[in-house]
């Protein structure tokens, strides 16, 4: 009888131990998700793709510009050529008083040309924050295409969804301590198809001073683009500049001579 009781206790102990092992395995299985969470996108890759969307390998664009002030408006026509992220030539074609005025960026250098003076002027860094052609864009805005990738720490701070079901990312860009930039922070908002919806610029006190906003998206040159944009000065009402893409070509062959100071002045190619 005593041997029978000992055998039953041993059997019961094995049963309880097996039950606990099985229960722990089930609980562990329930705690493991069925699929790994989707990795967050790289903010650097998002902004790089947004830059490349608007420029392609090369581009040729016809644009209209409208500078608006409470008391007056000025309209201009322009053409531009770009190559990669650093080379660009922008030339005014109208009105007649502005036709021929041009700006060239080649690598890290920038020049301007004014037919009335018949002079090519190299722009020093100290003048880069000044207004370009009397607009709300600065020379720095034209030259800093990939600065945000080189001189800023980027972080996605919010992900939402627009009415078309596209993911929308808000990215904070904060400059490195030794970065050769003007702004204390930039905030980018862009969709998952790399169209930038807005870009806000903050001073060193984190006060928003100006904002670039997309007003219209349409197909140009075989791709969806921010076709009409507005740069607004947030500290002055009704001070803004709109740029509208009218025609666009991408990935065409452009010789090196397009992006030279000789062509900037003579307009012999692309002028």
């Amino acid at each position: 009888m005593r041997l029978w009781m000992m055998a039953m206790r041993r059997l019961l102990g094995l049963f309880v131990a097996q039950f606990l092992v099985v229960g722990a395995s089930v609980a562990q299985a329930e705690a493991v998700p069925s699929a790994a969470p989707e990795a967050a996108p790289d903010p650097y890759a998002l902004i790089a793709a947004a830059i490349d969307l608007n420029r392609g390998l090369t581009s040729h664009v016809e644009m209209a510009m409208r500078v608006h002030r409470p008391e007056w408006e000025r309209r201009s026509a322009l053409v531009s050529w770009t190559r990669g992220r650093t080379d660009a030539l922008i030339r005014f074609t109208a009105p007649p008083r502005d036709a021929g005025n041009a700006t060239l960026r080649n690598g890290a250098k920038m020049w301007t040309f004014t037919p009335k003076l018949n002079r090519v002027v190299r722009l020093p860094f100290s003048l880069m924050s000044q207004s370009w052609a009397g607009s709300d864009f600065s020379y720095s805005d034209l030259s800093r295409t990939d600065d945000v990738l080189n001189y800023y720490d980027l972080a996605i701070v919010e992900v939402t969804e627009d009415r078309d079901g596209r993911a929308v990312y808000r990215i904070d860009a904060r400059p490195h301590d030794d970065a050769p930039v003007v702004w204390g922070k930039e905030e980018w908002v862009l969709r998952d198809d790399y169209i930038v919806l807005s870009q806000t610029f903050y001073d060193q006190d984190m006060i928003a001073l100006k904002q670039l906003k997309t007003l219209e998206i349409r197909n140009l040159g075989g791709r969806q683009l921010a076709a009409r944009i507005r740069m607004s000065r947030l500290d002055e009402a009704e001070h803004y500049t709109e740029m509208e893409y009218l025609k666009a070509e991408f990935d065409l062959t452009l010789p090196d001579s397009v992006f030279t100071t000789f062509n900037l002045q003579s307009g012999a190619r692309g002028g």
Side-chain angles (χ1 to χ4, degrees):
M1 184 69 176
R2 185 175 180 182
L3 291 176
W4 180 84
M5 289 292 294
M6 291 175 63
M8 288 299 294
R9 288 174 183 172
R10 186 174 300 171
L11 182 62
L12 180 60
L14 290 173
F15 176 77
V16 170
Q18 186 177 13
F19 176 79
L20 292 175
V21 170
V22 172
S25 300
V26 171
Q28 185 177 14
E30 290 177 349
V32 175
S34 57
E38 186 176 348
D42 178 4
Y44 291 88
L46 287 172
I47 290 183
I51 294 170
D52 295 339
L53 175 68
N54 286 284
R55 296 173 71 95
L57 298 174
T58 60
S59 74
H60 173 228
V61 177
E62 296 180 17
M63 299 174 285
M65 182 171 78
R66 179 167 69 101
V67 180
H68 176 85
R69 297 292 181 264
E71 304 82 11
W72 54 268
E73 265 194 6
R74 186 177 76 247
R75 295 176 183 266
S76 307
L78 310 92
V79 290
S80 75
W81 294 260
T82 69
R83 180 177 61 185
R85 296 178 184 170
T86 58
D87 299 339
L89 172 64
I90 304 174
R91 193 182 303 280
F92 283 82
T93 58
R97 68 176 181 275
D98 295 331
N101 290 344
T103 304
L104 169 68
R105 182 193 178 189
N106 190 316
K109 301 176 182 178
M110 180 171 279
W111 297 264
T112 63
F113 173 70
T114 304
K116 292 179 181 178
L117 301 177
N118 195 31
R119 285 181 56 197
V120 172
V121 177
R122 167 82 182 276
L123 282 175
F125 181 79
S126 60
L127 296 181
M128 296 298 283
S129 60
Q130 291 192 358
S131 168
W132 170 72
S135 73
D136 296 289
F137 292 89
S138 67
Y139 287 103
S140 180
D141 293 329
L142 302 183
S143 69
R144 58 188 296 283
T145 308
D146 59 351
D147 281 2
V148 71
L149 301 176
N150 299 323
Y151 301 123
Y152 287 74
D153 293 319
L154 307 180
I156 296 175
V157 295
E158 185 180 33
V159 182
T160 56
E161 190 174 288
D162 69 8
R163 63 185 179 185
D164 298 321
R166 290 195 173 277
V168 176
Y169 303 98
R170 181 163 64 88
I171 299 174
D172 270 8
R174 296 180 182 267
H176 305 158
D177 290 340
D178 58 348
V181 298
V182 174
W183 303 109
K185 187 184 83 164
E186 296 182 23
E187 180 184 270
W188 292 59
V189 179
L190 66 159
R191 304 193 318 192
D192 59 9
D193 60 353
Y194 312 125
I195 292 178
V196 177
L197 301 180
S198 68
Q199 187 179 352
T200 307
F201 302 85
Y202 295 77
D203 67 11
Q204 300 299 326
D205 296 321
M206 296 296 112
I207 298 173
L209 292 185
K210 67 178 186 176
Q211 183 180 67
L212 182 67
K213 190 172 183 179
T214 293
L215 303 179
E216 184 178 350
I217 299 169
R218 62 174 182 267
N219 189 287
L220 284 167
R223 58 183 68 185
Q224 287 287 106
L225 295 173
R228 187 163 63 95
I229 59 176
R230 175 183 290 185
M231 181 72 85
S232 300
R233 288 160 57 179
L234 301 180
D235 56 344
E236 294 190 69
E238 293 300 305
H239 282 69
Y240 61 82
T241 299
E242 288 188 8
M243 297 282 287
E244 182 177 5
Y245 284 33
L246 303 176
K247 295 181 181 179
E249 301 175 87
F250 296 97
D251 302 333
L252 60 161
T253 300
L254 294 177
D256 292 342
S257 58
V258 171
F259 306 100
T260 62
T261 54
F262 175 80
N263 184 48
L264 173 68
Q265 183 170 10
S266 68
R269 167 73 182 177

